[in-house]
Amino acid sequence: MSLNIQEIRALFPVLHQEVNGKPLVYFDNAATTQKPISVIDALSAYYKNDNSNIHRGAHTLADRATRYYENTRKLLQQFLNAREEAEIIFTKGTTEGINLVASTFGRKYINEGDEIIISTLEHHSNIVPWQMLCEEKGAVLKIIPINEAGDLDMQAFKDLVSPKTKLVSIIHVSNALGTINPVEEIIELSHQVGAKVLLDGAQSTSHLEVDVQALDCDFLVFSAHKLYGPTGLGVLYGKRVVLEEMPPYQGGGEMIKEVTFTKTTYNELPFKFEAGTPNIGDVIAFGKALEFINQLGKKQIKAHEDELLAYASDSLSQIKGFIPVGTAREKISVISFNINGMHPFDVGMMLDANGIAVRTGHHCTQPLMQRFGIEGTVRASFSVYNTKSEIDKLVASVSKIAKLKNK
Amino acid sequence: MSIEAIQNEIIDEFSILGDDKESTIFYIMEIGNGLPEMPESDKTDQNIIKGCQSKVWLTAIEKDGKVHFQADSNTDITKGLISLLIRVLSKRTPEEIIQAELSFIDKIGMGSIIGSQRSNGLAAMIKQMKMYALAYQAKLNA
Ligand SMILES: Cc1ncc(COP(=O)(O)O)c(C=O)c1O
């Protein structure tokens, strides 16, 4: 059964407005998705009815807030098919998840001469923490190259991975190009040499079914705001055996079992990694975002997005001066492009004048842009609430803009 | 023409475009396309204006007590913006440049046309032009 997109759109208040005198066309979903009314209402309801600190208070409100908060963890366990809820840790986002793993797992297990493998496709947040760790430890960062289409060079990966490899930290789906990476194969090859694997799932979790047991990844990190949820909230999934062995991240309340001035014992999972009062309201609201996705079904969402992607790719590629960047075999609904003779900033600003929101620039992937010898791209990314008629508007605007320099 | 008169001229030109953001941006780009080419040898890191998202190079020379600016950018809209500034501020005495109040920017509602990122860049360009004027003023009075 296909989705009723108009009904879905009605759930997103922000979509129903004019920008620069034109109806808003929101194509910046890879940066952050919009929020359904259920998420917005849940956030407000929490502060109106239930606000209190969780896990500690012996009163009714605290108990209620705790149950709602832990319910989101339960939903996430099911969403990812994790073995247990204790493997789900709340963070501030993808970036914090990666930094957490770098400062705990990384500090403990990565030593001088050890190797960490990432790829050319990485977001800065999956580059810089490893550079910092390598600098501190004298470890070595290795990079899987890509081909012209934006697919990983898997032969190069096979040559790079070795018993020296301690961690492979890889983007599951590229935010800049949309490439879906063959992570099953990467995980298998990495495990053969005893390396652990972290998946940056910031872009995959909203579009693909991600089953952490089937994948067998050791860590998966992502951000709620790219899954119709609130900003500044994320998830770290880790296998219990790995998380148990890791030292805590931050010290403070919530993460302890007992504190004396001579010795502190740490709380069990997942609380060991959730120091301090967490982002309770946003976690609760995020539960509604997960319910929204579950109701639609990831398969249906993907089918709709794939249709939009194919439609947009076909129409845009007819335009004289249109240069696609990233034409991987398997992609999510992201189109990165340039227009011959024009800077992406200018294209973005002209699209904005037509009410069309896209991202322009390097997308926090400067090494990837350097690989293509470009400064940046224009990126249109589609979500479940987008329509073909919105794509028609994009195509009409891009045609008009391209004509300025491509007569 | 005085700085004031040129500013009024620009305000008039933009008022013809009305509220339509798209035609305003096309117009700014068109102005940018008319900006004289800067020699590649001047497009050095030293001449880059810090604080702009796009690349903007600015040079200044002094001739008969007046400061002549030349500038370029890798984006057409930024080129348009800088050519407006050059039209108002180039070939003037350091004092005129230092004292100039660029009211046309607010009057044409540039902030909402180009957005906050580029407005910051525009402010950085003006600052750099005034810095050149200050330096030449000091040199001329030495
Ligand atoms: C692939 C990828 N990794 C990491 C991030 C960083 O996410 P956040 O800023 O929410 O921590 C993003 C978001 O832009 C992303 O797309």
Side-chain angles (χ1 to χ4, degrees), chain A residues 30 93-96 123 125 171 173 175 200 202-203 223 225-226:
Chain A
T94 307
T95 306
E96 193 186 41
H123 187 282
S125 64
I171 195 165
V173 168
N175 62 311
D200 173 351
Q203 298 293 337
S223 303
H225 70 92
K226 294 181 198 279

Side-chain angles (χ1 to χ4, degrees), chain A residues 49-296:
Chain A
N49 309 324
D50 311 312
N51 176 53
S52 49
N53 211 328
I54 52 169
H55 299 141
R56 323 176 178 179
H59 57 83
T60 306
L61 286 195
D63 185 55
R64 208 151 68 204
T66 305
R67 266 191 290 121
Y68 294 164
Y69 179 88
E70 290 302 326
N71 180 55
T72 300
R73 204 189 303 274
K74 175 88 199 144
L75 286 170
L76 280 161
Q77 177 252 316
Q78 293 161 349
F79 190 74
L80 302 174
N81 191 30
R83 273 167 221 84
E84 45 175 325
E85 287 159 52
E87 293 179 322
I88 306 293
I89 291 153
F90 289 113
T91 63
K92 278 194 305 192
T94 307
T95 306
E96 193 186 41
I98 296 170
N99 278 280
L100 189 160
V101 175
S103 2
T104 58
F105 175 86
R107 284 247 174 78
K108 180 162 176 184
Y109 293 107
I110 292 168
N111 296 303
E112 195 173 342
D114 287 345
E115 294 178 356
I116 299 170
I117 299 180
I118 62 173
S119 81
T120 306
L121 292 169
E122 298 324 311
H123 187 282
H124 294 162
S125 64
N126 195 29
I127 302 174
V128 185
W130 307 120
Q131 284 176 328
M132 288 161 63
L133 182 70
C134 285
E135 188 152 322
E136 184 185 320
K137 293 290 197 141
V140 184
L141 197 58
K142 298 272 176 179
I143 318 292
I144 313 168
I146 57 167
N147 64 18
E148 219 32 51
D151 277 310
L152 289 181
D153 179 344
M154 285 302 286
Q155 187 51 51
F157 174 64
K158 286 171 195 158
D159 296 340
L160 282 177
V161 72
S162 80
K164 281 190 185 163
T165 313
K166 289 291 170 305
L167 180 73
V168 177
S169 188
I170 194 93
I171 195 165
H172 189 174
V173 168
S174 159
N175 62 311
L177 309 181
T179 312
I180 302 174
N181 286 323
V183 291
E184 297 82 355
E185 193 184 349
I186 290 174
I187 292 166
E188 199 179 321
L189 290 166
S190 305
H191 284 169
Q192 280 171 15
V193 298
K196 299 280 185 271
V197 179
L198 181 151
L199 292 185
D200 173 351
Q203 298 293 337
S204 60
T205 40
S206 54
H207 302 280
L208 311 177
E209 294 203 55
V210 177
D211 177 332
V212 291
Q213 290 192 65
L215 285 171
D216 198 29
C217 56
D218 300 282
F219 304 104
L220 170 78
V221 292
F222 58 99
S223 303
H225 70 92
K226 294 181 198 279
L227 285 129
Y228 314 100
T231 54
L233 173 70
V235 174
L236 162 68
Y237 156 82
K239 278 185 192 162
R240 176 183 276 277
V241 281
V242 183
L243 293 175
E244 290 278 13
E245 294 301 314
M246 278 161 43
Y249 178 43
Q250 293 174 329
E254 284 271 311
M255 54 77 72
I256 52 92
K257 189 171 272 162
E258 192 174 34
V259 178
T260 69
F261 280 120
T262 46
K263 187 172 167 55
T264 292
T265 48
Y266 304 127
N267 205 339
E268 59 241 38
L269 293 174
F271 310 112
K272 174 176 149 188
F273 292 104
E274 290 181 2
T277 299
N279 189 349
I280 305 165
D282 285 324
V283 167
I284 292 172
F286 185 34
K288 296 294 168 191
L290 296 167
E291 283 170 3
F292 168 78
I293 296 172
N294 290 341
Q295 270 157 22
L296 300 184

Side-chain angles (χ1 to χ4, degrees), chain A residues 283-327:
Chain A
V283 167
I284 292 172
F286 185 34
K288 296 294 168 191
L290 296 167
E291 283 170 3
F292 168 78
I293 296 172
N294 290 341
Q295 270 157 22
L296 300 184
K298 279 234 183 123
K299 277 206 179 69
Q300 275 87 327
I301 296 176
K302 176 89 170 26
H304 175 66
E305 291 172 344
D306 283 350
E307 202 179 316
L308 295 177
L309 176 70
Y311 184 69
S313 304
D314 283 351
S315 319
L316 287 168
S317 56
Q318 312 291 322
I319 297 171
K320 196 171 167 199
F322 175 83
I323 307 165
V325 181
T327 48

